Amino acid sequence: MEEEIKINDKNNNDESLKYKSWKDRFIAFINGVLIGLAIIVPGVSGSTISMIFKLYDKMMKALSNLFKRFKICFLFLLPILIGALIGFVSGFFAVKSVIEQFTFICVCLFAGLMLGGASEVAKEIKIEDNKKRTTLDYVLLIIGFIFPIGMSLLFYFLTDFVSMNDLFSSSSFPFYLYIICFILGIAISLTQIIPGLSATALLMCFGAFTPIMDSVSLTVWQDNPMWLLIYVCLVLGFIVGMLLFSNIITKLLDKNRFTTFHLLTGLAYGSVIGMFCNTEIISVYINYSQGAGNIALDLGIGIPLFVIAFIGSFLLVKYGLKHK
């Protein structure tokens, strides 16, 4: 009897991962394009986008079962992967040039997008059917909120001892930098699994965003070919993290979705604050204090963009919920 139930569950899971039409495949492809852009754009969470497209649970299921049921899971993930690759490559150079010139304005824009998108995460902890929050729920919510802010500030103060920019600027990379990049790859994978987290915002927290973006140059590769090994470590860490944590998150959501989303909601909102207190944006504040940059222009454009981005992202989430 138990074996029969397991077989039925397996068949149901397989059916849920099959696209009904080319329209569904195209929607998954667009979701992938936006995920690819989200890896580059600070403040935009790839997993939040997947929740808006109603593909998040299926993606986690496909990733966690990739080796168990490879064919069905791979065919489901394929249009998303193709879209993500296109989105990543097409958005890379445009975002790179814009952020270098208008760092604070871009952070305001992306933080607004992130705050609006966080409402999709927060709706999962809405109390219904007389359900009550436990002490654990509140604790996880607070931990989630504090964690990205604390990490941002921690890595800012650690730059007095070890600067990621200095490590990447050295002519020969120390061996432990490759280990750090592997761990960074794992951390980036978490931003594509946990709603509300941003890959670029995380790299900014570590002070690694600008060095890695600036490294994409033939001149840099010729001067230091070991950058290619850095990329390999990042990619390997990303793959390992996606396969490992997608399985963990899937089990947590299946076992206690309500409590798990308290942690995820805290992370989503805490990451917005972290956007304004990480290593790279603090350097902009220091420039302001020294008379460099145009603080009036940045505030005059950045704050309205934050509000507009928040409203636009919030309405997009509401539209997505209305048209499931």
Side-chain angles (χ1 to χ4, degrees):
M1 187 69 176
E2 289 183 5
E3 185 178 349
E4 183 179 344
I5 293 173
K6 287 181 180 179
I7 292 173
N8 289 333
D9 288 342
K10 177 179 178 294
N11 291 333
N12 289 334
N13 286 336
D14 288 350
E15 287 300 319
S16 69
L17 294 179
K18 290 181 179 179
Y19 292 109
K20 302 290 190 297
S21 65
W22 283 102
K23 177 184 175 182
D24 291 341
R25 291 184 179 88
F26 180 73
I27 291 173
F29 169 78
I30 296 300
N31 181 42
V33 171
L34 295 176
I35 289 175
L37 287 171
I39 297 175
I40 296 295
V41 176
V44 181
S45 168
S47 48
T48 301
I49 291 170
S50 297
M51 292 188 73
I52 295 172
F53 277 79
K54 300 300 172 187
L55 289 172
Y56 178 74
D57 287 346
K58 291 182 180 180
M59 280 179 55
M60 293 301 100
K61 188 184 296 181
L63 286 167
S64 61
N65 291 283
L66 186 59
F67 294 115
K68 296 178 183 177
R69 298 192 291 279
F70 179 80
K71 183 179 178 180
I72 189 70
C73 293
F74 177 76
L75 290 176
F76 174 80
L77 293 170
L78 184 59
I80 300 173
L81 292 171
I82 294 173
L85 181 61
I86 293 173
F88 179 84
V89 174
S90 61
F92 183 88
F93 295 102
V95 171
K96 175 183 176 182
S97 60
V98 171
I99 289 179
E100 286 177 351
Q101 297 181 50
F102 309 103
T103 304
F104 182 79
I105 294 174
C106 288
V107 166
C108 288
L109 171 64
F110 301 142
L113 291 171
M114 196 169 182
L115 182 61
S119 62
E120 169 67 10
V121 185
K123 79 177 183 64
E124 295 286 347
I125 62 171
K126 183 180 178 181
I127 296 180
E128 298 176 349
D129 300 327
N130 297 321
K131 183 180 288 186
K132 293 183 179 180
R133 291 193 177 94
T134 64
T135 302
L136 178 61
D137 294 333
Y138 286 108
V139 169
L140 289 176
L141 184 67
I142 294 170
I143 290 175
F145 182 80
I146 293 175
F147 183 76
I149 302 172
M151 290 297 291
S152 297
L153 295 174
L154 173 64
F155 279 95
Y156 170 69
F157 290 114
L158 284 178
T159 55
D160 292 337
F161 304 98
V162 180
S163 170
M164 291 293 288
N165 195 44
D166 291 341
L167 289 176
F168 283 118
S169 299
S170 59
S171 56
S172 59
F173 297 143
F175 76 93
Y176 56 83
L177 183 58
Y178 302 107
I179 300 175
I180 291 174
C181 287
F182 179 78
I183 296 173
L184 273 178
I186 294 176
I188 293 170
S189 74
L190 276 172
T191 66
Q192 304 309 301
I193 292 173
I194 298 178
L197 296 186
S198 161
T200 310
L202 182 140
L203 288 174
M204 282 184 165
C205 293
F206 284 91
F209 176 71
T210 298
I212 292 175
M213 291 286 278
D214 290 343
S215 72
V216 183
S217 164
L218 288 175
T219 303
V220 173
W221 296 340
Q222 289 172 353
D223 292 340
N224 192 348
M226 297 307 291
W227 266 108
L228 299 178
L229 185 55
I230 291 291
Y231 302 149
V232 170
C233 292
L234 287 168
V235 171
L236 286 177
F238 182 83
I239 294 172
V240 169
M242 286 292 284
L243 296 176
L244 174 64
F245 290 109
S246 61
N247 192 37
I248 294 174
I249 292 297
T250 299
K251 289 180 178 179
L252 287 174
L253 292 177
D254 287 343
K255 187 175 181 180
N256 199 329
R257 187 180 185 88
F258 183 72
T259 296
T260 302
F261 260 93
H262 278 77
L263 176 64
L264 302 184
T265 300
L267 287 168
Y269 286 103
S271 296
V272 176
I273 306 298
M275 289 288 294
F276 292 97
C277 59
N278 60 69
T279 302
E280 301 202 18
I281 197 65
I282 289 176
S283 66
V284 175
Y285 303 151
I286 294 173
N287 288 337
Y288 290 154
S289 67
Q290 296 173 348
N294 192 331
I295 186 172
L297 177 66
D298 284 354
L299 289 174
I301 297 177
I303 293 176
L305 272 180
F306 176 86
V307 175
I308 293 170
F310 165 72
I311 294 173
S313 181
F314 181 80
L315 292 177
L316 178 62
V317 169
K318 292 299 180 185
Y319 178 84
L321 292 175
K322 186 177 179 180
H323 298 79
K324 290 184 179 181

